[in-house]
């Protein structure tokens, strides 16, 4: 695998590539890995860090999307459920089954709204009662009968529900519990998929902080956002995986399009042990006062994620969580848990992103969440076909990527050589299946590497079976615990900077680790980290200070974290 400097050198000496993928969110990254596996020469670039757009702003659910059934999106739900199950199998270290509970306050309500919504005769959300939810969950189960690693749904009556969740609103009549999937770190999952693609060989190259600035003939001119340098690539096909920025990117390379009509969604992470205890490890998925479906998601340690909003937005660069959204989100909890209040002081992180939805009119909740590949064929201005990846769910990225790769293979007259369907991801390879096997595996690695068992367990929880390589690295290189970040060591950070293209300090704090999301940042820890990352990337004191300032600014302006 090449590092950033080597990849840039390789582009300068060999600017030709079969497929240029612009945008390294999950859809670009998934396509990159699939094409790399087929031996197709490909280059993926992102103007920012990997997985820093919509893919970082998701509700962290791997789900079929029970809500989409009422919009008639049966194909999408069936595909997403299958993909959910595949992700749980292929990346067990970074995904988990997520018990999800819908509190229900009515019997029949909503029964007639769904067909009306489906026929386009009703565009406002209306309260869903027990019968409609039961029907939805029966379909949900039926779609994955015989292929689900998780139990089927169940309905519990009021008494049982209040015994399990005593803090729930006492007006409750039933609760429906079913299983979906969750992930704590979409960013780590995405980077591991990218690394798998890169590991296929030098024909698969990846770069963050590079953007296209214009095209000249068949050349696309790229600008390095770190050095300011410009260099060209000559692709045969362009894959525009810019998510909500797709139309902006086409514009930059002489193409014209109007595919995206994105909506903004914001979430809060709160540190709230009582709320974490009240939900008892379940995601609570419920209808808010305005009829929208919202969620309370059990996050890391005693943190809880609450969201989301759905607001039309023209320029995705302007997506931040506003004061009005914060008020709206804070109001969700007391509706379901009347005795629990969430205050602003309990917010530790906020984030916002734009769903790359297709342009449509009507209410935001009814816009299709399905994906499509919109092709702009060659023209005198754009002498390469541009495949635009519109819409889609994080959950079903693999299916979309496979469809894109198939279209590319068709155009190249090449046959598919490998499938990603059952291919383990990163540290999910050779993952010890049960607790006993895990213990044996961990002890073995500790013995072989000489790294203490406690530390091996910590690494395993973060990186799965990639722990083998990391433990090896720690054993061979100087290592010491960090003073201001317990649980991390200098060697571990150095390894991630070397192997995972950490380019800015915030790449590590927000995406390679979840430290910023759970209130584990301070000026001291940022300064300590800047020393280690800076040592690896040859930063002088001025550059280190610039990185510290940049990180503080991003944390404050984008995530509401004031240090
Ligand atoms: C609020 C919200 C909640 C969601 N919840 C869920 C959920 O729970 N489960 C689920 O399955 N899905 C969910 N989704 C949907 C899912 O997250 C997105 O559909 C998916 O991440 C889109 O990925 P993408 O790769 O197409 O786009 P993105 O992740 O946005 O990637 C596009 C990339 O293009 C880059 N880029 C932009 N301009 C340029 C340029 N000029 N040059 C180079 N690169 C550029 C950006 O930096 C970005 O990294 C949610 C989405 C949102 C916004």
């Amino acid at each position: 695998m090449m590092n950033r400097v080597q990849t840039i050198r390789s582009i300068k000496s060999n600017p030709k590539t079969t497929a240029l993928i612009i945008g390294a969110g999950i859809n670009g990254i998934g396509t990159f890995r699939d094409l790399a596996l087929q031996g197709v020469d490909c280059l993926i670039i992102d103007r920012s860090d990997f997985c820093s757009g919509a893919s970082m702003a998701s509700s962290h659910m791997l789900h079929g999307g029970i809500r989409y059934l009422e919009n008639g999106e049966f194909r999408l739900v069936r595909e997403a459920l299958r993909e959910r199950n595949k992700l749980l199998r292929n990346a067990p270290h970074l995904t988990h089954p997520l018990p999800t509970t819908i509190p229900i306050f009515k019997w029949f309500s909503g029964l007639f709204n769904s067909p009306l919504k489906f026929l386009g005769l009703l565009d406002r959300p209306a309260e869903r009662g027990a019968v409609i939810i039961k029907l939805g969950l029966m379909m949900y189960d039926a779609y994955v009968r015989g292929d689900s690693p998780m139990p089927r749904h169940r309905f519990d009556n009021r008494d049982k529900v209040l015994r399990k969740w005593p803090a729930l609103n006492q007006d409750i009549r039933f609760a429906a519990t079913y299983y979906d999937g969750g992930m704590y770190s979409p960013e780590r999952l995405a980077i591991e998929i990218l690394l798998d693609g890169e590991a296929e060989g030098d024909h698969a190259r990846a770069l963050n902080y590079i953007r296209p600035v214009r095209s000249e003939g068949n050349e696309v001119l790229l600008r390095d956002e770190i050095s300011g340098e410009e260099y060209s690539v000559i692709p045969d096909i362009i894959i525009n995986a810019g998510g909500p920025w797709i139309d902006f990117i086409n514009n930059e390379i002489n193409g014209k399009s109007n595919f995206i009509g994105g909506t903004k969604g914001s979430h809060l992470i709160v540190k709230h042990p009582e709320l974490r205890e009240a939900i008892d490890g379940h995601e609570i998925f419920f209808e808010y006062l305005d009829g929208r479906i919202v969620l309370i998601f059990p996050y890391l340690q005693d943190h809880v994620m609450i969201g989301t909003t759905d607001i039309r937005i023209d320029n995705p660069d302007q997506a931040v969580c506003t004061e009005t959204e914060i008020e709206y989100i804070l109001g969700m909890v007391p509706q379901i848990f009347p005795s629990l209040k969430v205050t602003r002081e309990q917010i530790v992180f906020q984030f916002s992103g734009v769903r790359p939805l297709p342009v449509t009119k009507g209410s935001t909740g009814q816009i299709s969440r399905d994906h499509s590949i919109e092709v702009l064929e060659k023209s005198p201005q754009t002498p390469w076909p541009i495949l635009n990846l519109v819409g889609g769910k994080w959950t079903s990225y693999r299916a979309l990527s496979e469809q894109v790769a198939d279209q590319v293979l068709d155009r190249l007259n090449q046959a598919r050589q490998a499938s990603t369907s059952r291919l383990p991801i990163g540290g999910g390879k050779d993952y010890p299946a049960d607790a006993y096997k895990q213990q044996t595996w961990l002890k073995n690695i500790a013995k072989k590497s000489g790294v203490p068992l406690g530390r091996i367990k910590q690494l395993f929880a973060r990186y799965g079976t990639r722990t083998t390589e990391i433990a090896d690295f720690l054993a061979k290189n100087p290592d010491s615990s960090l003073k201001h970040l317990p649980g991390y060591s200098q060697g571990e950070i150095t390894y991630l900077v070397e192997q995972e293209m950490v380019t800015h300090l915030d790449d590590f704090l927000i995406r390679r680790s979840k430290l910023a999301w759970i209130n584990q940042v301070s000026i001291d820890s940022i300064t300590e980290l800047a020393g280690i990352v800076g040592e690896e990337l040859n930063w002088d004191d001025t550059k280190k200070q610039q990185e510290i300032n940049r990180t503080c600014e991003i944390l404050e302006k984008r995530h509401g974290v004031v240090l």
Side-chain angles (χ1 to χ4, degrees), residues 498-544:
E498 268 184 21
Q499 299 293 319
E500 299 191 348
M501 252 185 276
V502 172
T503 305
H504 284 295
L505 203 50
D506 51 286
D507 299 342
F508 176 77
L509 271 169
I510 302 178
R511 285 170 294 276
R512 304 302 181 277
S513 80
K514 296 306 276 186
L515 290 165
W517 296 61
I518 51 170
N519 206 19
Q520 288 190 12
V521 279
S522 62
I523 290 290
D524 285 341
S525 61
I526 293 182
T527 309
E528 187 175 20
L529 272 174
I532 301 168
V533 178
E535 178 77 27
E536 203 46 37
L537 299 179
N538 293 323
W539 293 345
D540 61 19
D541 286 348
T542 316
K543 173 73 177 155
K544 264 186 230 165

Side-chain angles (χ1 to χ4, degrees), residues 273-541:
E274 297 85 9
L275 179 59
R276 189 70 169 76
E277 199 184 323
I279 60 179
D280 196 23
H282 284 227
E283 175 186 47
I284 309 290
F285 203 49
F286 62 102
E287 203 171 300
Y288 199 18
L289 296 170
D290 56 3
R292 292 193 50 254
I293 306 286
V294 294
L295 58 100
I296 303 176
F297 181 102
Y299 201 61
L300 293 164
Q301 299 161 8
D302 47 9
H303 295 84
V304 176
M305 183 172 74
I306 318 171
T308 172
T309 51
D310 199 2
I311 302 165
R312 283 193 188 273
I313 184 167
D314 290 330
N315 184 352
D317 287 334
Q318 289 166 356
V320 285
C321 181
T322 61
E323 286 299 306
T324 319
E325 285 177 286
I326 292 177
E327 284 301 321
Y328 177 87
I329 297 172
L330 290 180
M332 290 172 188
V333 173
Q335 182 191 322
I336 290 296
F337 296 104
S339 60
L340 297 178
K341 276 225 155 31
V342 187
T343 62
R344 280 173 178 259
E345 292 67 47
Q346 287 164 317
I347 303 173
V348 299
F349 195 79
Q350 61 202 42
F351 60 102
S352 200
V354 176
R355 303 172 182 87
L357 305 176
V359 180
T360 34
K361 296 202 176 84
S363 92
T364 50
Q366 272 186 283
I367 304 173
S368 169
R369 265 45 177 178
D370 210 346
H371 53 75
S372 64
I373 305 166
E374 304 294 337
V375 182
L376 295 172
E377 289 296 351
K378 286 183 187 182
S379 73
Q381 291 74 36
T382 54
W384 351 259
I386 306 175
L387 276 54
N388 299 277
L389 317 191
V390 176
K393 305 294 298 168
W394 220 111
T395 312
S396 43
Y397 85 92
R398 195 208 63 83
L400 171 59
S401 305
E402 190 171 77
Q403 289 153 24
V404 182
D406 282 342
Q407 285 204 15
V408 172
L409 292 172
D410 264 4
R411 284 171 186 267
L412 301 175
N413 229 347
Q414 237 175 270
R416 174 168 280 280
Q417 296 174 16
S419 164
T420 53
S421 178
R422 289 170 184 272
L423 201 64
I425 295 167
K429 282 187 199 109
D430 304 321
Y431 195 79
D434 55 48
Y436 175 74
K437 285 190 180 139
Q438 241 173 58
Q439 287 311 317
T440 318
W441 190 92
L442 292 166
K443 282 183 195 153
N444 210 0
I445 300 297
K447 197 166 155 203
K448 267 196 205 151
S449 63
V451 176
L453 183 60
R455 182 81 180 112
I456 294 289
K457 284 183 181 167
Q458 237 167 17
L459 295 172
F460 184 73
R462 284 177 202 145
Y463 311 109
T465 53
R466 284 182 75 215
T467 300
T468 316
E469 304 155 30
I470 302 173
D472 233 37
F473 182 89
L474 298 186
K476 289 185 188 136
N477 291 282
D479 193 26
S480 56
S481 301
L482 297 198
K483 189 165 164 217
H484 300 287
L485 274 178
Y488 278 84
S489 73
Q490 178 225 333
E492 180 182 353
I493 314 271
T494 306
Y495 178 87
L496 295 183
V497 176
E498 268 184 21
Q499 299 293 319
E500 299 191 348
M501 252 185 276
V502 172
T503 305
H504 284 295
L505 203 50
D506 51 286
D507 299 342
F508 176 77
L509 271 169
I510 302 178
R511 285 170 294 276
R512 304 302 181 277
S513 80
K514 296 306 276 186
L515 290 165
W517 296 61
I518 51 170
N519 206 19
Q520 288 190 12
V521 279
S522 62
I523 290 290
D524 285 341
S525 61
I526 293 182
T527 309
E528 187 175 20
L529 272 174
I532 301 168
V533 178
E535 178 77 27
E536 203 46 37
L537 299 179
N538 293 323
W539 293 345
D540 61 19
D541 286 348

Side-chain angles (χ1 to χ4, degrees), residues 1 32 36 193-204 429:
M1 269 192 313
F32 172 73
I193 299 169
L194 182 102
L195 294 176
D196 283 353
E198 266 203 305
E200 287 301 312
D202 288 354
H203 65 282
K429 282 187 199 109

Side-chain angles (χ1 to χ4, degrees), residues 153-366:
H153 83 271
R154 62 164 206 273
F155 257 62
D156 291 321
N157 65 23
R158 182 175 186 275
D159 288 351
K160 194 163 174 200
V161 174
L162 289 177
R163 271 201 303 279
K164 182 161 173 63
W165 293 281
L168 263 178
N169 188 325
Q170 304 289 307
D171 293 340
I172 193 149
R173 286 179 175 235
F174 307 95
T177 295
Y178 65 102
Y179 278 79
D180 254 327
M183 49 183 172
Y184 295 124
S185 181
E187 303 80 13
R188 283 223 55 81
L189 187 49
I191 194 84
E192 293 199 5
I193 299 169
L194 182 102
L195 294 176
D196 283 353
E198 266 203 305
E200 287 301 312
D202 288 354
H203 65 282
R205 299 176 284 180
L207 275 178
N208 50 3
Y209 297 102
I210 299 275
R211 68 181 304 159
V213 275
R214 62 178 181 278
S215 66
E216 286 168 5
N218 61 351
E219 295 188 6
V220 178
L221 198 73
L222 306 178
R223 189 176 60 225
D224 187 332
E225 298 285 85
I226 305 299
S227 65
E229 242 189 313
E230 294 190 346
Y231 28 84
S232 298
V233 279
I234 308 171
D236 296 327
I237 299 173
I238 291 186
I239 295 162
N240 183 343
W245 291 273
I246 279 180
D247 296 321
F248 295 84
I249 291 175
N250 282 332
N251 204 26
E252 280 161 10
I253 52 173
N254 284 347
K256 287 265 166 298
S257 66
N258 184 26
F259 295 128
I260 300 293
T263 71
K264 176 177 70 153
S266 299
H267 293 83
L268 304 179
I269 305 267
V270 299
K271 186 175 169 67
H272 201 311
E274 297 85 9
L275 179 59
R276 189 70 169 76
E277 199 184 323
I279 60 179
D280 196 23
H282 284 227
E283 175 186 47
I284 309 290
F285 203 49
F286 62 102
E287 203 171 300
Y288 199 18
L289 296 170
D290 56 3
R292 292 193 50 254
I293 306 286
V294 294
L295 58 100
I296 303 176
F297 181 102
Y299 201 61
L300 293 164
Q301 299 161 8
D302 47 9
H303 295 84
V304 176
M305 183 172 74
I306 318 171
T308 172
T309 51
D310 199 2
I311 302 165
R312 283 193 188 273
I313 184 167
D314 290 330
N315 184 352
D317 287 334
Q318 289 166 356
V320 285
C321 181
T322 61
E323 286 299 306
T324 319
E325 285 177 286
I326 292 177
E327 284 301 321
Y328 177 87
I329 297 172
L330 290 180
M332 290 172 188
V333 173
Q335 182 191 322
I336 290 296
F337 296 104
S339 60
L340 297 178
K341 276 225 155 31
V342 187
T343 62
R344 280 173 178 259
E345 292 67 47
Q346 287 164 317
I347 303 173
V348 299
F349 195 79
Q350 61 202 42
F351 60 102
S352 200
V354 176
R355 303 172 182 87
L357 305 176
V359 180
T360 34
K361 296 202 176 84
S363 92
T364 50
Q366 272 186 283

